[in-house]
Amino acid sequence: MIIDVHTHINNYHEERVVSLEDCLNKLTETMEENEVDYSLVLTSYKVNEHRPSTKKVVEAIANRKNLGVVAGISYLNYNHHDLREIAEYLETGLIKGLKLYPGYEPFYPSDSRMKVVYDMAIEYDVPVMFHSGDTYSPTGRVKYSHPIHHDDLAVDYPDLKIVICHVGNPWIKDCMEVTYKNKNVHADFSGLVLGDFTEKFERWMKNELEQMITYAGNPKYLLYGTDWPISSMKSYLNFMKNLELPDDKKEMILWKNAAELFKIDVNSFK
């Protein structure tokens, strides 16, 4: 089984508007081609014609049992209406987690403005995912997206389930320490590459992840994710196949950790 915890249906190239239904169809077709059983769709911190709202995505996937939603929240722009809507989705189980975008927006994860979001995540026992590391956009501010900042958050909110996205790349060793030290911190290794891995970059990144697992131990904290459509599912699965890990550890990373953390009923879409 394979669970991809990190996909998007945003139209990043923005040459033309692509319908939400077409984006979802493309996602499910790509999943079928690569034998991916379930994916989480992360909504954006901003909403426009290329980036659908959480409400629209929740409604659009209602009959797609192999998709779940993680709700993007804007640090700069969230309001009481947004929080009420998200609370209702959490109450009814229509979203599996929350996503914040430090680096794309100018805030550190421990900013007090986000306390209400963290309290909500703890109350409903869902993870909060954070963009971390390099930003896809040159206008991002990477001082906010360094993974070391999640240490303060993990200490201040020991009951909060934290996911550092992209293993903080290029600060993977810093991410390694934060996940090792804090038992409430997880990491996904999505978005490490645009498109397909080159042979040289794959060798380097394979070594980085294997070092992380050696240092931080049993990879209960590590989650499989791609960042599709930015990254190729096929190339990512090949990368996963080449990791020098026993099959039981790969199985943990490929789906077991995600199913437990996000409370995904794997029997509902088999």
Side-chain angles (χ1 to χ4, degrees):
M1 182 172 292
I2 302 168
I3 295 177
D4 188 335
V5 302
H6 199 129
T7 71
H8 297 278
I9 50 172
N10 301 329
N11 177 27
Y12 290 106
H13 299 292
E14 302 185 357
E15 289 91 359
R16 63 188 181 90
V17 178
V18 180
S19 74
L20 176 54
E21 193 68 17
D22 285 347
C23 289
L24 286 170
N25 287 339
K26 182 64 175 175
L27 171 57
T28 54
E29 286 167 13
T30 308
M31 288 168 62
E32 288 175 12
E33 289 168 5
N34 292 280
E35 299 182 335
V36 175
D37 298 275
Y38 186 95
S39 290
L40 290 173
V41 177
L42 281 53
T43 63
S44 182
Y45 62 99
K46 60 183 177 181
V47 176
N48 56 36
E49 61 182 351
H50 300 288
R51 296 172 183 247
S53 68
T54 296
K55 183 175 189 293
K56 285 186 176 180
V57 177
V58 166
E59 292 171 350
I61 72 156
N63 296 315
R64 298 175 187 253
K65 301 303 181 186
N66 62 342
L67 295 179
V69 179
V70 172
I73 298 175
S74 171
Y75 165 82
L76 292 174
N77 299 305
Y78 82 76
N79 55 37
H80 292 296
H81 170 77
D82 297 326
L83 296 179
R84 285 197 304 271
E85 181 180 79
I86 288 168
E88 288 173 7
Y89 288 148
L90 289 169
E91 184 75 35
T92 53
L94 292 174
I95 59 176
K96 295 291 187 182
L98 309 176
K99 172 74 186 292
L100 301 175
Y101 292 83
Y104 289 101
E105 292 191 303
F107 73 101
Y108 295 109
S110 58
D111 193 300
S112 61
R113 176 167 162 77
M114 305 315 296
K115 183 179 186 301
V116 63
V117 174
Y118 303 148
D119 288 344
M120 188 186 303
I122 292 168
E123 179 181 351
Y124 289 101
D125 194 28
V126 298
V128 181
M129 305 178 75
F130 293 84
H131 173 79
S132 185
D134 183 41
T135 56
Y136 185 65
S137 166
T139 60
R141 300 175 187 270
V142 294
K143 70 178 182 179
Y144 296 108
S145 57
H146 196 294
I148 200 70
H149 301 306
H150 294 93
D151 183 55
D152 282 344
L153 187 66
V155 172
D156 292 342
Y157 295 88
D159 296 323
L160 181 65
K161 295 175 177 177
I162 297 165
V163 179
I164 301 175
C165 297
H166 321 304
V167 286
N169 183 45
W171 299 293
I172 296 173
K173 284 185 172 57
D174 299 272
C175 178
M176 181 170 79
E177 168 59 18
V178 175
T179 55
Y180 168 73
K181 174 181 174 288
N182 301 290
K183 302 309 177 187
N184 57 329
V185 178
H186 301 72
D188 79 27
F189 54 93
S190 64
L192 300 178
V193 64
L194 299 180
D196 295 328
F197 284 94
T198 63
E199 184 179 345
K200 185 176 181 180
F201 185 73
E202 183 174 347
R203 283 199 310 271
W204 180 77
M205 192 56 70
K206 174 178 174 289
N207 183 60
E208 291 288 306
L209 277 188
E210 288 170 354
Q211 283 187 32
M212 181 175 182
I213 294 167
T214 299
Y215 180 85
N218 190 30
K220 284 284 291 179
Y221 55 86
L222 199 57
L223 305 164
Y224 176 78
T226 60
D227 217 4
W228 185 91
I230 292 173
S231 303
S232 159
M233 284 191 184
K234 182 178 180 181
S235 187
Y236 248 85
L237 285 169
N238 186 64
F239 172 73
M240 186 69 203
K241 179 182 176 182
N242 291 332
L243 284 177
E244 293 181 18
L245 292 173
D247 288 344
D248 63 326
K249 303 301 185 192
K250 287 185 178 181
E251 194 173 21
M252 288 169 62
I253 296 168
L254 280 170
W255 73 273
K256 284 188 174 181
N257 295 344
E260 181 180 346
L261 182 64
F262 290 95
K263 299 178 183 174
I264 299 166
D265 180 4
V266 297
N267 294 310
S268 66
F269 53 85
K270 279 184 176 178

